[in-house]
Amino acid sequence: MSGSSVLPGDPPGGRRAIAVWGIGVSVYFVAVIFRTSLGVAGLDAADRFHVNASALSTFSILQLLVYAGMQIPVGLLVDRLGTKKVLGIGVVLFTAGQLGFAFSPSYGMALASRALLGCGDAMTFISVLRLGTRWFPARRGPMVAQLAGLVGMAGNLVSTLVLARLLHGIGWTAAFAGSALAGVVVFVLLLLFLKDHPEGHEPQPLPHQGAAYVRRQIATSWREPGTRLGLWVHFTTQFPAMVFLLLWGMPFLVEAQGLSRGTAGELLTLVVLSNMAVGLVYGQIIARHHAARLPLALGTVGATSLLWAATLAYPADRAPMWLLVVLCTVLGACGPASMIGFDFARPANPPERQGTASGITNMGGFVASMTTLFAVGVLLDATGDDYRVAFSSVFVLQALGVTQIMRLRRRAARRERERLVASRVETVHVPV
């Protein structure tokens, strides 16, 4: 990831950057395993805690509510405290949450554990994005962000393949408690080896200004059209796959489509594998062709809508396997497309606001996911488990998101061009 053409003030990248960044990404990897573990355990959780669809969706809704609500505070914390401290707190919280979920004797205790897990999980991704901007040149930003997302999807793959088998092999408590050991491992690595930035690239110390500083950071980031465009791109692209993988994919494939759990698990795995492959492609395209960001995002939304419509409107009771395979393959593009949101927010904000801007952007997809998880659960209970009606809620949020993207795109592009011209002028006047 190192390169010869580095702008003035850019970190150098190189092997040490990859090693340090790799530790941060390993924390995010474990957080995603814990976050998505309920996706393969949804039916087991319903039996264990004797709950219906709405109550089951509350697990993921609460987890995402905490996650989304923490994004701006975490962004501010990362800007203030640095990556290592925030990641360390996150590991402690999400590991405690996973352990608590393993031993929860009741629905209420399990809910509290998922909330704790969501709080810790919320501290990981923004920290990893910040770590990338501190250790790699700016031109590597899109690729570094996509690679972080790819590693996160690898964590989802572990949930789908490994944790699912452990769950049905050694049981609920042993599977969840055993997986929590991964949190202990990455915590030790973080304490021993992670550093916030390379030597010679220390950020300017921020003055302690209390509430005034917080308000100014949030308000200034929000005023940038690129930040808001990033939020709506993230909102519109991420949630269809997130809802599918986090909770409702397995019940939909087993109960509505009549597949075995094994076959349904293979289709969930296909979503994850597709995500990883598409992430590499999108990262390379955007790194080379910055103008491709919006076409890729909107193209992904269009393809997702088309495949969901074809699946839900299929004239037979169950969609054919080839259509489900294509649906899951296209859903795999949602995660990489959501990362494009950060590629709008990043150039719109200076380094001292990167954490705050990333937090605002990252709220988008998780608010949409939380809303859809709730809508699907309520509609399933209201319609007697009619998945066609329940999953139609996807189209409502996609329409809202596309409307906002189209409204903001020109303002964001104009502001980004102005910033680019200004930065080039500053670079010309840098003393040699």
Side-chain angles (χ1 to χ4, degrees), residues 361-381:
T361 300
N362 208 30
M363 283 181 63
F366 289 94
V367 168
S369 297
M370 180 176 59
T371 304
T372 310
L373 283 167
F374 176 74
V376 170
V378 169
L379 288 170
L380 285 174
D381 285 340

Side-chain angles (χ1 to χ4, degrees), residues 53-73:
S54 297
L56 182 61
S57 68
T58 303
F59 277 123
S60 296
I61 291 167
L62 178 62
Q63 185 179 330
L64 292 185
L65 178 64
V66 172
Y67 187 105
M70 287 289 293
Q71 289 309 291
I72 292 177

Side-chain angles (χ1 to χ4, degrees), residues 6-52:
V6 179
L7 294 174
D10 258 358
R15 292 181 179 178
R16 177 155 173 74
I18 294 173
V20 173
W21 178 79
I23 294 170
V25 170
S26 69
V27 174
Y28 177 55
F29 171 77
V30 174
V32 173
I33 294 175
F34 292 1
R35 178 201 304 171
T36 57
S37 57
L38 186 60
V40 296
L43 296 175
D44 300 85
D47 292 337
R48 180 179 177 88
F49 300 112
H50 310 292
V51 293
N52 60 13

Side-chain angles (χ1 to χ4, degrees), residues 239-324:
F239 79 93
M242 177 69 75
V243 168
F244 199 78
L245 289 171
L246 202 59
L247 184 61
W248 291 122
M250 180 70 77
F252 169 73
L253 294 171
V254 173
E255 296 177 354
Q257 300 302 317
L259 302 180
S260 68
R261 286 198 182 195
T263 304
E266 290 171 1
L267 286 174
L268 293 179
T269 303
L270 176 61
V271 177
V272 177
L273 292 175
S274 172
N275 184 301
M276 297 171 73
V278 173
L280 288 174
V281 174
Y282 277 18
Q284 292 285 357
I285 291 173
I286 295 169
R288 290 176 170 82
H289 309 285
H290 218 46
R293 292 172 298 172
L294 204 55
L296 284 176
L298 292 175
T300 302
V301 174
T304 306
S305 298
L306 179 64
L307 265 299
W308 261 124
T311 302
L312 297 177
Y314 195 78
D317 289 339
R318 295 171 181 173
M321 179 58 71
W322 67 264
L323 184 54
L324 294 175

